[in-house]
Amino acid sequence: MRVTSRFSLFAATAALTVSCAANAAPVFINILTGGTSGVYYPIGVGLSQIYSDGIPGAKTSVQATKASVENLNLLQAGRGELALALGDSVADAKNGVEDAGFKAPLTKLRAIAGAYPNYIQIVANKESGIKTLADLKGKTISVGAPKSGTELNARAIFKAAGLTYEDMSKVQYLPFAESVELIKNRQLDATLQSSGLGMAAIRDLSSTMPLNYVAIPPDVVTKIGNAAYQPAQIPANTYDGQPESVPTVAITNIFVTREDVSEDVAYQMTKLMFENLTRLGNSHSAAKDIKLQNAARNLPIPLHPGAERYYKEAGAL
């Protein structure tokens, strides 16, 4: 009887363990990105695959969005677990800057990591004659979706250069891919894009027609008066027909989560990202600029405790 009782107890315990494992709540990770022709989206896809492989029970998804501003508002509303956003947009979200698309301070945002820099890339059909920022006067340009991170960058840069939207003959508020198609069809002169280097939309455009790459001089960057904007260069030959480097502005992207994501999940998201940087770099070359030593520095919002735990373990904090 004792043997039978022990066997029964063992069987019951094993069955309960299997049942609990089977019924364990899955870990949902929705990654908020940007348009499918930009850089956020392929990086989000790469991360979703890394998390799906590395986090037991993970149910990952990737959502194409209008990028920074929409992503941060979605996080605040609990409709995502991880998002990419421009650093200046994150600061505006924290402070509730209404003109930037935030009706009130977004108090739930927490940082996972500083990522790679976005470069402001202004390209024009060579036939338009646009070579400088001043040449945009009287021309047609697309500046990204209204109050998107890209459009906020456009406003800041034009203001620093002494320009307004009224100086252009027409301003379109379109995502990357649509802007490129209009330039191809001679329905648009130029587009301003805020993205990682080597973005697909500009590569596509530069392979089909001659372009001018418009410089943003360092003195214009200084006049913006925002530490999130730093002088930078688009290296020569990043795109077809671009034999020389182009002065521009760089703005750091940030991986953002929300405070009610569990510490363990935030820890795993951070750890797996940095343990798989080579794999993530294969999703898009911009991800190769993500560096552990810089990831926890100069962030406009607090680190999530899970991310902070990882950085302390890794000696990066």
Side-chain angles (χ1 to χ4, degrees):
M1 283 296 293
R2 287 180 180 175
V3 173
T4 302
S5 297
R6 287 175 181 170
F7 177 79
S8 299
L9 181 61
F10 173 80
T13 302
L16 180 61
T17 301
V18 171
S19 175
C20 288
N23 293 320
V27 178
F28 291 101
I29 300 176
N30 185 33
I31 302 173
L32 307 168
T33 59
T36 55
S37 62
V39 176
Y40 284 2
Y41 188 81
I43 288 178
V45 171
L47 274 177
S48 74
Q49 294 167 348
I50 290 168
Y51 294 158
S52 181
D53 292 343
I55 300 176
K59 303 290 184 184
T60 62
S61 57
V62 180
Q63 184 173 339
T65 68
K66 295 177 182 177
S68 298
V69 175
E70 182 179 10
N71 289 351
L72 297 169
N73 282 312
L74 287 171
L75 277 181
Q76 178 75 12
R79 294 171 59 189
E81 284 66 48
L82 185 68
L84 273 157
L86 282 164
D88 59 326
S89 293
V90 176
D92 287 342
K94 176 187 176 183
N95 296 322
V97 178
E98 189 167 359
D99 283 348
F102 307 105
K103 294 181 180 179
L106 305 190
T107 59
K108 296 180 181 179
L109 304 181
R110 296 293 182 269
I112 288 291
Y116 62 92
N118 255 27
Y119 293 78
I120 304 302
Q121 301 168 69
I122 304 176
V123 298
N125 179 356
K126 203 160 194 172
E127 295 174 358
S128 71
I130 298 170
K131 297 180 180 179
T132 68
L133 288 170
D135 293 336
L136 290 169
K137 289 183 177 181
K139 305 294 185 179
T140 57
I141 186 169
S142 174
V143 294
K147 294 188 178 179
S148 64
T150 296
E151 199 258 319
L152 297 177
N153 296 159
R155 285 195 227 172
I157 290 162
F158 292 161
K159 181 179 179 181
L163 298 169
T164 68
Y165 286 167
E166 286 70 31
D167 291 319
M168 323 305 179
S169 66
K170 187 175 183 179
V171 176
Q172 298 263 40
Y173 300 90
L174 299 170
F176 300 161
E178 291 179 35
S179 301
V180 163
E181 288 305 311
L182 288 181
I183 293 176
K184 285 182 182 178
N185 296 329
R186 272 65 176 184
Q187 295 174 286
L188 192 67
D189 294 317
T191 180
L192 181 149
Q193 317 247 354
S194 177
S195 181
L197 293 174
M199 67 168 300
I202 297 179
R203 284 206 317 267
D204 173 38
L205 185 61
S206 67
S207 69
T208 59
M209 66 192 307
L211 300 175
N212 285 336
Y213 298 84
V214 180
I216 303 172
D219 64 308
V220 172
V221 181
T222 301
K223 289 177 184 175
I224 294 172
N226 185 331
Y229 292 74
Q230 293 295 319
Q233 298 277 331
I234 300 172
N237 301 309
T238 298
Y239 301 104
D240 290 345
Q242 186 231 325
E244 298 179 355
S245 63
V246 180
T248 190
V249 180
I251 307 161
T252 298
N253 289 286
I254 300 174
F255 288 102
V256 186
T257 187
R258 49 189 167 82
E259 64 178 358
D260 51 342
V261 168
S262 76
E263 181 175 329
D264 186 59
V265 169
Y267 171 83
Q268 290 291 339
M269 288 196 300
T270 312
K271 178 181 172 71
L272 286 168
M273 181 190 302
F274 286 102
E275 288 183 348
N276 291 275
L277 283 181
T278 300
R279 180 178 173 186
L280 189 59
N282 292 333
S283 65
H284 195 283
S285 59
K288 295 176 182 177
D289 287 332
I290 300 172
K291 308 293 183 184
L292 175 61
Q293 61 267 32
N294 300 327
R297 296 178 182 174
N298 302 316
L299 298 170
I301 55 174
L303 277 171
H304 192 288
E308 185 176 358
R309 172 155 62 100
Y310 171 73
Y311 292 127
K312 287 179 177 177
E313 286 182 4
L317 194 65

